């Protein structure tokens, strides 16, 4: 929190960030390339109308898109380490 408050230009204190209620945040926007004063916002809670767990879908999609066989990764690491 202390590190993040530096990004808000001293107008937000660490305890402000630590005590934020659910679905609230502080925002610091750039308007025409110039930072505006930080302000707080309230967001919407997650949509619970679709109760299925999306995590398996996300993992499967990510694996298909970015995954590689373990043997290939180990070979690349060995080559990079000079082995």
């Amino acid at each position: 929190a202390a590190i993040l408050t530096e990004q808000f230009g001293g107008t937000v204190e660490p305890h402000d960030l630590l005590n934020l209620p659910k679905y609230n945040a502080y925002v610091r926007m750039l308007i025409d390339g110039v930072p505006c004063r930080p302000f707080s916002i309230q967001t919407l809670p997650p949509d619970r109308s679709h109760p299925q767990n999306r995590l398996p879908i996300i993992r499967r999609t990510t694996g298909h898109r970015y995954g590689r066989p373990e043997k290939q990764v180990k070979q690349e690491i060995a080559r990079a380490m000079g082995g």
Side-chain angles (χ1 to χ4, degrees), residues 38-59:
F39 57 93
S40 61
I41 61 169
Q42 185 174 12
T43 65
L44 298 173
D47 180 11
R48 301 282 185 208
S49 63
H50 299 87
Q52 75 261 19
N53 185 354
R54 292 182 177 96
L55 190 56
I57 296 167
I58 293 169
R59 284 184 175 152

Side-chain angles (χ1 to χ4, degrees), residues 17-31:
L17 295 175
L18 293 171
N19 294 315
L20 277 172
K22 276 186 172 182
Y23 316 120
N24 285 262
Y26 279 97
V27 177
R28 180 177 169 211
M29 295 175 48
L30 291 176
I31 301 174

